[in-house]
Amino acid sequence: LTKSTAFGSTLVGWLGFSDPAVIDQYKVWTLVTHVLVPSIHWFSVVINCLMLYFFATELEDWWGSRRMAVFFVAAALGAGLFSLAVSFLTPVAAAGARPLVVAAISAWGLVFRDRVTSLFGLVEMKGIHFVWLSLAFVGLDALSYGLTTIVPRLGAIAVAVGLSMGLW
């Protein structure tokens, strides 16, 4: 809804990532705020919110609110910087909260790597398997939407791995 209005279009232009805007117009804040630009489909927004609720809630309990906020900003910045670096070679699509979702799933899987949990009540998996599953879904996204859509997700996963493996 916001993209179809004049205000929404302006808001997306102000918050969304664009490599010429970062370089030519010095909109460096878009390296972080691009995750606030909603996805095209409402279903993606709902799924992203549910995944963040399932995985980020427990991470926030483990790390605390302040570290969780730093984690989200760092993951968004990692996604933005990785997108900016790759955008010199090819156009990159960086919008939506999906980088934060895969970062939260990856971090949860690394922090709780030995915890056995059920996936949809059907398959029991360890936490580390969720890391591999999130990478598999990123790969499926690459097959479906092209390689340029996975760049911010890989940047966010790299930050999540770094922070979860001991940079705290």
Side-chain angles (χ1 to χ4, degrees), residues 118-133:
S118 177
L119 179 66
F120 303 119
L122 301 173
V123 179
E124 287 195 357
M125 297 173 50
K126 287 186 175 182
I128 192 69
H129 297 141
F130 281 90
V131 177
W132 296 112
L133 191 63

Side-chain angles (χ1 to χ4, degrees), residues 48-69:
N48 288 342
C49 289
L50 285 172
M51 291 293 110
L52 286 174
Y53 174 75
F54 291 140
F55 292 99
T57 303
E58 195 165 8
L59 284 174
E60 184 180 9
D61 291 341
W62 183 263
W63 285 335
S65 297
R66 184 167 291 156
R67 276 191 178 171
M68 193 69 206

Side-chain angles (χ1 to χ4, degrees), residues 27 31 68 71 87 94 102-103 113 115 119 138 142 159 167-168:
K27 291 185 176 181
L31 292 172
M68 193 69 206
F71 172 80
S87 70
V102 295
R113 68 177 60 232
R115 179 182 293 172
L119 179 66
V138 168
V159 169
L167 288 180
W168 289 118

